[in-house]
Amino acid sequence: MGKAEFISAIKSGGAAFAENEPMSKHTTFKIGGNADVFVTPRDESELLFAVSAAKSAGLPYYVTGNGSDLLVSDKGIEGAVICLEKMRGISLGENTAAVSAGQSMMSLCLSLQKAGLGGLEFAYGIPGTVGGAVYMNAGAYGGEIKDVIVSARYLDKSGEVKEIGKDEMRFGYRKSVFQENGGIILSATFFLNNDDPESILERMNDYYSRRTAKQPLDYPSAGSVFRRPEGNFAGTLIEKSGLKGASVGGAAVSVKHAGFIVNTGGATSEDVKELIEIIKQKVSADSGVDLQTEVIFIGR
Ligand SMILES: Cc1cc2nc3c(=O)[nH]c(=O)nc-3n(C[C@H](O)[C@H](O)[C@H](O)COP(=O)(O)OP(=O)(O)OC[C@H]3O[C@@H](n4cnc5c(N)ncnc54)[C@H](O)[C@@H]3O)c2cc1C
């Protein structure tokens, strides 16, 4: 009922959509059952229309970026997945960049480098969108989104577009206000510093080569599965527990970086969840540390 009503509305609203779309095609883990409806708005008006149509039809909806921090249920996702990865755009100022939520962090970093704008080099290699990075306060190599963001525009739960400054975003370790208020980030503005493009490129390449040296980038994954425990590293604790290479079905603890679970082929969401439980129990028994997942579980 809700789905049919939503589809007939979305047809008139312009956004592309697909029914029963495998989420394994839209997550870096390459895992996940079908989304009932998968919508890809190209701009804010299509997004606003899709959200309002889902609300009117009483259909649940969930917003995604590049799906690089998600573990989607094998049973799929009820309702609409609204994926923002086609909602792109960068507007450069002298020291600023206003960027649409669906822009990939990788392409943003490359554009800023060419323009001689430094500050986001640390994010080169994070395989998400700007919206996902702000939502997660993504970070690496000592930098975090909170260090460079100035403001963000978002759609609040009542359907109003609002703009807030960095101080109101309540950033913490992989945390932002958007995890509390259910807002959909539309765009973000970053403050950057003028720098020589060659030096920026050097730093980006340095960070990227550190990633390729340490991370199992040749396998599908969702990055670090666990949050960094206070004063420790999840990967070190997992390795100490002798779990490198441990596997359930097609899911395995990476032998290259024990903080990653990789999909070695045909892994299911249940395989990954079971492996996560095994890791948590063994690390808790061996080191007394209760690991918390960073990866977000969604779906039925
Ligand atoms: C190989 C690899 C390396 C990684 N390295 C890092 C790293 O160094 N540092 C790091 O922090 N992370 C890292 N990650 C994790 C991931 O890339 C980040 O968390 C990224 O910011 C997620 O962005 P996304 O667009 O893929 O979001 P998704 O995975 O699609 O979504 C993540 C969450 O954000 C929400 N969301 C997405 N877009 C919006 C929006 N516009 N408005 C509101 N909510 C939104 C979703 O609802 C979901 O809850 C890595 C992942 C992989 C696979």
Side-chain angles (χ1 to χ4, degrees):
M1 163 67 190
K3 180 179 161 185
E5 195 181 326
F6 175 71
I7 287 176
S8 103
I10 211 78
K11 277 181 179 162
S12 67
F17 73 94
E19 285 182 71
N20 302 319
E21 177 72 0
M23 287 302 292
S24 52
K25 281 166 60 180
H26 303 283
T27 56
T28 54
F29 239 144
K30 304 210 180 304
I31 293 175
N34 294 352
D36 289 348
V37 195
F38 187 83
V39 190
T40 43
R42 280 161 305 190
D43 55 35
E44 286 186 15
S45 71
E46 287 188 358
L47 167 65
L48 266 52
F49 187 90
V51 171
S52 137
K55 281 184 179 165
S56 308
L59 196 72
Y61 61 92
Y62 189 84
V63 169
T64 63
N66 193 40
S68 63
D69 213 18
L70 300 178
L71 182 62
V72 177
S73 161
D74 301 317
K75 297 193 182 103
I77 301 177
E78 186 189 351
V81 169
I82 305 177
C83 173
L84 303 196
E85 69 185 354
K86 294 223 153 51
M87 228 174 78
R88 303 176 197 138
I90 304 173
S91 169
L92 297 180
E94 205 173 309
N95 284 98
T96 56
V99 192
S100 294
Q103 187 75 40
S104 80
M105 289 302 293
M106 293 291 281
S107 61
L108 173 61
C109 290
L110 287 168
S111 297
L112 297 178
Q113 181 271 328
K114 284 193 188 86
L117 292 168
L120 261 175
E121 295 89 330
F122 70 86
Y124 187 60
I126 298 180
T129 59
V130 165
V134 173
Y135 181 91
M136 291 302 293
N137 184 25
Y141 305 109
E144 285 177 297
I145 288 295
K146 76 167 174 47
D147 304 329
V148 267
I149 196 166
V150 183
S151 61
R153 290 172 54 259
Y154 72 101
L155 181 68
D156 80 358
K157 279 201 140 173
S158 69
E160 216 182 303
V161 175
K162 291 190 169 153
E163 178 157 10
I164 53 172
K166 166 195 186 146
D167 294 345
E168 295 166 88
M169 288 188 226
R170 297 215 279 278
F171 285 120
Y173 172 67
R174 302 293 173 267
K175 223 170 152 190
S176 75
V177 73
F178 304 105
Q179 296 169 17
E180 297 158 24
N181 69 12
I184 301 176
I185 300 149
L186 302 172
S187 65
T189 298
F190 301 98
F191 186 80
L192 304 146
N193 47 283
N194 295 113
D195 202 345
D196 165 37
E198 275 309 308
S199 318
I200 297 173
L201 186 61
E202 230 170 78
R203 286 193 292 273
M204 278 164 46
N205 287 339
D206 172 43
Y207 291 138
Y208 199 79
S209 56
R210 290 202 232 169
R211 270 178 197 277
T212 47
K214 285 213 168 133
Q215 300 180 358
L217 301 181
D218 39 354
Y219 285 102
S221 80
S224 301
V225 174
F226 300 100
R227 295 167 68 82
R228 196 180 55 231
E230 191 93 5
N232 223 317
F233 292 101
T236 311
L237 296 172
I238 296 165
E239 196 174 344
K240 258 197 200 161
S241 281
L243 288 168
K244 258 191 172 180
S247 65
V248 175
V253 175
S254 164
V255 284
K256 194 166 178 186
H257 185 319
F260 280 53
I261 288 179
V262 291
N263 179 356
T264 59
T268 64
S269 192
E270 285 307 309
D271 291 342
V272 176
K273 281 189 184 163
E274 214 178 295
L275 188 54
I276 287 174
E277 274 321 302
I278 292 170
I279 295 168
K280 278 180 155 181
Q281 282 177 20
K282 184 97 174 55
V283 167
S284 172
D286 294 348
S287 310
V289 175
D290 288 324
L291 291 177
Q292 306 293 319
T293 44
E294 176 177 318
V295 166
I296 299 163
F297 303 98
I298 60 165
R300 291 187 171 97

